[in-house]
Amino acid sequence: MVVKTIPDIIDNAEHKLSDVLNDLINENSSVYIATGYFNMAGFNLVKEKLKIAKEVKILIGKAISPEHIIKPDEIESKLKEEIEGGIDDEKNVNSLNDLIEFLKKENVEVKIFRNNFYHGKFYIIDGGIPVTGSIAIVGSSNFTYAGLTHNTEYNSVIKQADSVESHKRKFLKMFNENADDYKPHLLSLLSGFTSQYKPYEIYIKILYSHFESKLSESPTEEMPSPIILADFQKDGYISALQSLEKYRGVILADSVGLGKTYLALRILDDFAYRLRQKALIICPAQIKEMIWEPKLKEFGIRADIVTQEKVSRDFKIDTYKDYDLIIIDESHNFRNSSTKRWKNLFQTIINGNTNKKVVLITATPINNTVFDLYHQLRFITKDQDDFFASAGINSLWGYFIKAYDDKETLYDLLEEIAVRRSRPFIKKYYPNALIDGKPLKFPERKLNTVSYSLTSVYSGIYDECIEAIESLTLASYNVEIFRKDLSSQRFQGFGKIKLFLKSTGRSDSEIREFLMDIGRNEAIIGIFKILLLKRLESSIFAFRESIKNLLDFQKKFLELLDKRKFLDKESYRKFVLSQSSDEEAENYLEELKDMNPDEYEIDEIRAKTEKDIYILENIYSELSLPLDRDDKLQQLVNLLQKLKNKKVVIFGQFKDTMRYIYDYITQDEILKKLGLRKESIEITDSDVKPEKRKDIITRFSPISNNRPDIKGTEKEIQILFSTDILSEGQNLQDADTVINYDLPWNPIKIVQRVGRLDRIGSPHDTIHVYNFFPEDELESLIKLLYRLNEKLKDINKSIGL
């Protein structure tokens, strides 16, 4: 539409404001626009005329957001129309580029009103207009598509020269005195729409958006604290607070030796000290006196401490139900929900105070399967399956079922609830971290293998020992399969036994309970065989003791069987615990049932037991202890000779083994060969009382345990033998060498053992790790271990233990 004459009123009905502007602006015009709002669609209506104008000044009354420049609903409708028409988004991109190029012109200025929001709207075209020369349009139209075209507006057109000049002076006064330059910001805003981003940049943006809340400031104002944290520890502490605020729980799962205890102490300082909340710490007995009691005393924090061992025994749940904060150190020891320990703690958490906060501390949340972590998380979720629904996890149990096959699934959950950093992560992202004002340093780890011959250790009967382990029936551990009413089915699979029992009229619950009993007993037999295998590799002494104990047990069982009695459950338990503190075996034993001998095939049980006794007696008679021909033991002596003047900790799984090698090494002849005094060698295990154990640890590692006065004196210990009783929580970093005398069947144990030395504050550049491996017999050991584990898996799949 061409404007023939300049109208007096512009209301977008008879005359549209965009048409009037396009008709009047030319290369001789200075254009001054004051508007509350501005968008690209409005600019597009008059952009060709604005491009040729002598100068353009735009005063905006409100800060522009992307939505004011390009409205989402307009984009959506345009894109839909263009996609259906088979064209791309080039038109929108070109429009943006036109506006950007226009704004870059030196004769174009854009400012934003400084004081609140400017509501006035007027348009001044100064020069180039026939007859009047200049005009001012004053009214209600914003410089937007709607304001220039179809909104019902009312704009008066002023043509008198004096009046136009007054409006011009008013505009320039506001523009120069009450407005700030907005063009750079507007250009930056618009350029973001047309910039080309690399895939990596987009990925980083997505990551930032996902983790934005975790990158924000601490949810609580940080208060001064006597517990000084390094930068990476402080970030972990802030993340932990966020999890506690959101979920009332957190897992402190930094790698071994990164100071998880100090994060927990900082949390205790907040809640137990400052907020005077009631706090409970549950930890292994060996670190109660060595770690927690001294640290709480040092920082003046009031909290009660209960050992995990006490939780396993006579634990009065009502006494501890009203705590506000529960910290579970080495929480992986609560990975099995069938144990009395787990059940007692769970009841403590779900009863009483419903707002309890739970802090789990463990560097190894998963030891065997992902369900280790699941059972620990239940202390936080209190068995609410949709607890993490806000994180997109609608069923925690279903989530872990999926994670069982794809462990990477756990990533999203751990990001929500865990503080987990590794050494490489700290090295890369906190290169300048300080601890006590000194640069943080991590030792390098050097792995060494010590080979020896099991065949030589067992004087030629190694294969016979392996065959004996595999051939034992151990009928005494599963007499249930010898029930008289099951005589025709006892060697069938679980499926056939189930069908047979169903044909006898038993209910589904009775059948399930019966099969569970058989499954548990079979599992015990498999675990015992694995245990024998581990003790065989550990030392000939430990294996010999196990054979003797098992032989005595079988004879006792047979003696009672002849009196038509079975050993009771407690007798089984005592035997298992005499061999190992294996949690799984203890677990199954808790479920054993009392039985009536009249219901069983006693003669068949007796025959199989007598056969086992025969096998065990033959093996035991051949297990002599020629110490000078024990190749593994001699390799240890050779290694210690090479490590003269080194401070060394020697770990083993079994107390029998460690006592055996300790007694040998502390003989006068061997001490002389090693250049050591007997007083400079010590041993710790479950037989050593906590107070004595504390003294030994301090004398072995005096600097890391704040007793520098012992260093260099006759009290200092040079070589320390220990079971895994010291593999958790202890500070042994005065030493730089760890020897794993047992085969590392579970790599988590190796991580925990090495973590006693490789810790923050270690003065050493390198930690030396020596692992003993049987050079020729490893394959046969692994094959047998594999077969036994497969049997356990089959039992589990069949009846769902």
Side-chain angles (χ1 to χ4, degrees), residues 32-47:
Y32 308 130
I33 300 172
T35 178
Y37 296 95
F38 165 80
N39 67 22
M40 190 179 72
F43 167 76
N44 285 337
L45 293 171
V46 293
K47 65 181 180 181

Side-chain angles (χ1 to χ4, degrees), residues 629-684:
R629 295 203 306 273
D630 184 338
D631 188 50
K632 187 176 185 181
L633 191 53
Q634 295 307 315
Q635 289 296 338
L636 176 62
V637 173
N638 294 338
L639 177 59
L640 291 176
Q641 283 184 289
K642 296 177 183 177
L643 298 174
K644 274 187 178 179
N645 302 319
K646 286 272 192 180
K647 189 178 284 288
V648 180
V649 57
I650 304 170
F651 277 113
Q653 183 175 356
F654 302 108
K655 180 169 54 180
D656 290 338
T657 294
M658 303 315 290
R659 290 282 172 178
Y660 165 66
I661 61 177
Y662 170 78
D663 289 342
Y664 181 72
I665 295 296
T666 53
Q667 293 181 102
D668 291 341
E669 181 183 347
I670 305 301
L671 288 171
K672 185 176 180 181
K673 186 184 291 188
L674 299 177
L676 292 169
R677 297 177 300 108
K678 186 173 182 178
E679 293 76 17
S680 66
I681 303 177
E682 267 292 359
I683 184 169
T684 64

Side-chain angles (χ1 to χ4, degrees), residues 31-97:
V31 181
Y32 308 130
I33 300 172
T35 178
Y37 296 95
F38 165 80
N39 67 22
M40 190 179 72
F43 167 76
N44 285 337
L45 293 171
V46 293
K47 65 181 180 181
E48 298 305 324
K49 286 301 183 75
L50 290 177
K51 287 178 184 179
I52 65 171
K54 184 167 63 176
E55 67 169 333
V56 178
K57 298 182 188 295
I58 301 174
L59 177 63
I60 301 171
K62 182 179 176 66
I64 297 175
S65 68
E67 289 75 15
H68 292 131
I69 299 171
I70 306 177
K71 293 184 179 180
D73 57 343
E74 291 178 4
I75 292 178
E76 185 176 353
S77 62
K78 286 182 180 180
L79 285 178
K80 183 176 180 181
E81 178 183 333
E82 290 167 354
I83 290 171
E84 290 173 350
I87 61 174
D88 59 21
D89 198 31
E90 185 178 354
K91 181 178 179 182
N92 284 332
V93 174
N94 289 339
S95 295
L96 279 170
N97 286 331

Side-chain angles (χ1 to χ4, degrees), residues 329-388:
D329 199 358
E330 308 294 355
S331 65
H332 52 267
N333 293 325
F334 290 88
R335 63 186 179 272
N336 194 326
S337 63
S338 298
T339 60
K340 187 176 181 180
R341 169 189 297 176
W342 190 96
K343 292 173 182 176
N344 282 343
L345 182 55
F346 186 73
Q347 289 301 316
T348 301
I349 290 173
I350 65 174
N351 290 327
N353 184 349
T354 58
N355 292 316
K356 289 186 183 76
K357 292 181 172 64
V358 177
V359 177
L360 307 175
I361 307 176
T362 174
T364 54
I366 296 175
N367 280 246
N368 300 305
T369 75
V370 294
F371 294 104
D372 293 344
L373 174 60
Y374 173 76
H375 292 306
Q376 293 170 72
L377 280 174
R378 290 170 66 188
F379 294 130
I380 295 174
T381 67
K382 303 177 180 64
D383 272 354
Q384 181 182 332
D385 194 45
D386 63 349
F387 187 83
F388 293 102

Side-chain angles (χ1 to χ4, degrees), residues 202-321:
I202 296 172
Y203 174 66
I204 293 299
K205 172 62 177 175
I206 293 170
L207 285 180
Y208 177 78
S209 297
H210 181 73
F211 294 111
E212 186 174 4
S213 62
K214 288 199 172 188
L215 295 172
S216 63
E217 292 298 318
S218 169
T220 59
E221 182 179 353
E222 186 176 353
M223 301 291 289
S225 171
I227 303 164
I228 308 301
L229 302 178
D231 288 346
F232 74 89
Q233 292 173 324
K234 183 178 177 181
D235 289 344
Y237 154 72
I238 291 172
S239 182
L241 287 184
Q242 291 171 332
S243 292
L244 284 169
E245 182 179 31
K246 186 174 182 180
Y247 296 116
R248 297 195 301 277
V250 66
I251 306 175
L252 303 181
D254 279 342
S255 294
V256 173
L258 293 182
K260 295 182 292 296
T261 301
Y262 281 88
L263 298 189
L265 283 166
R266 188 66 175 83
I267 291 169
L268 280 166
D269 187 50
D270 284 342
F271 294 100
Y273 178 75
R274 298 187 188 285
L275 298 179
R276 295 294 188 266
Q277 292 187 354
K278 196 175 181 182
L280 176 67
I281 299 168
I282 297 172
C283 64
Q286 64 265 25
I287 63 175
K288 176 176 180 283
E289 294 182 0
M290 288 297 300
I291 303 296
W292 282 107
E293 287 182 345
K295 289 300 179 184
L296 292 177
K297 183 177 181 181
E298 178 184 352
F299 296 115
I301 298 172
R302 172 72 178 88
D304 293 322
I305 306 176
V306 173
T307 67
Q308 292 180 0
E309 290 76 6
K310 181 174 181 179
V311 178
S312 301
R313 298 192 296 268
D314 298 326
F315 185 68
K316 296 181 180 178
I317 294 170
D318 289 342
T319 304
Y320 302 99
K321 66 181 182 180

Side-chain angles (χ1 to χ4, degrees), residues 334-487:
F334 290 88
R335 63 186 179 272
N336 194 326
S337 63
S338 298
T339 60
K340 187 176 181 180
R341 169 189 297 176
W342 190 96
K343 292 173 182 176
N344 282 343
L345 182 55
F346 186 73
Q347 289 301 316
T348 301
I349 290 173
I350 65 174
N351 290 327
N353 184 349
T354 58
N355 292 316
K356 289 186 183 76
K357 292 181 172 64
V358 177
V359 177
L360 307 175
I361 307 176
T362 174
T364 54
I366 296 175
N367 280 246
N368 300 305
T369 75
V370 294
F371 294 104
D372 293 344
L373 174 60
Y374 173 76
H375 292 306
Q376 293 170 72
L377 280 174
R378 290 170 66 188
F379 294 130
I380 295 174
T381 67
K382 303 177 180 64
D383 272 354
Q384 181 182 332
D385 194 45
D386 63 349
F387 187 83
F388 293 102
S390 62
I393 302 171
N394 295 321
S395 168
L396 190 62
W397 175 248
Y399 183 84
F400 271 87
I401 292 293
K402 182 180 178 182
Y404 183 75
D405 295 318
D406 180 10
K407 293 180 178 57
E408 290 188 6
T409 302
L410 292 175
Y411 176 81
D412 291 338
L413 175 62
L414 291 175
E415 284 299 322
E416 285 293 316
I417 198 67
V419 176
R420 174 71 174 171
R421 283 85 55 85
S422 64
R423 275 175 167 73
F425 179 90
I426 302 301
K427 286 181 180 179
K428 182 175 182 179
Y429 295 105
Y430 297 88
N432 301 314
L434 300 176
I435 294 287
D436 294 330
K438 299 176 182 178
L440 178 64
K441 181 186 72 172
F442 291 114
E444 296 298 322
R445 296 181 183 181
K446 186 175 181 181
L447 189 64
N448 306 276
T449 297
V450 181
S451 298
Y452 67 96
S453 170
L454 269 175
T455 301
S456 177
V457 170
Y458 286 87
S459 304
I461 65 164
Y462 166 75
D463 289 335
E464 189 177 339
C465 292
I466 292 292
E467 184 180 345
I469 292 174
E470 199 159 17
S471 62
L472 289 170
T473 59
L474 297 178
S476 56
Y477 290 95
N478 201 7
V479 295
E480 197 72 10
I481 200 68
F482 295 97
R483 294 181 64 91
K484 289 179 179 178
D485 59 354
L486 205 64
S487 59

Side-chain angles (χ1 to χ4, degrees), residues 681-734:
I681 303 177
E682 267 292 359
I683 184 169
T684 64
D685 54 34
S686 57
D687 285 346
V688 178
K689 293 183 178 179
E691 191 59 39
K692 172 69 172 174
R693 202 182 304 153
K694 179 181 179 181
D695 176 67
I696 290 172
I697 293 168
T698 303
R699 288 166 54 209
F700 176 74
S701 191
I703 302 299
S704 63
N705 288 286
N706 301 314
R707 285 297 306 274
D709 56 296
I710 295 176
K711 182 70 176 175
T713 70
E714 290 188 353
K715 290 184 178 180
E716 186 175 8
I717 295 170
Q718 193 73 18
I719 296 178
L720 176 61
F721 291 87
S722 179
T723 59
D724 285 311
I725 199 165
L726 292 190
S727 68
E728 295 177 336
Q730 304 294 345
N731 290 316
L732 305 178
Q733 57 262 48
D734 286 22

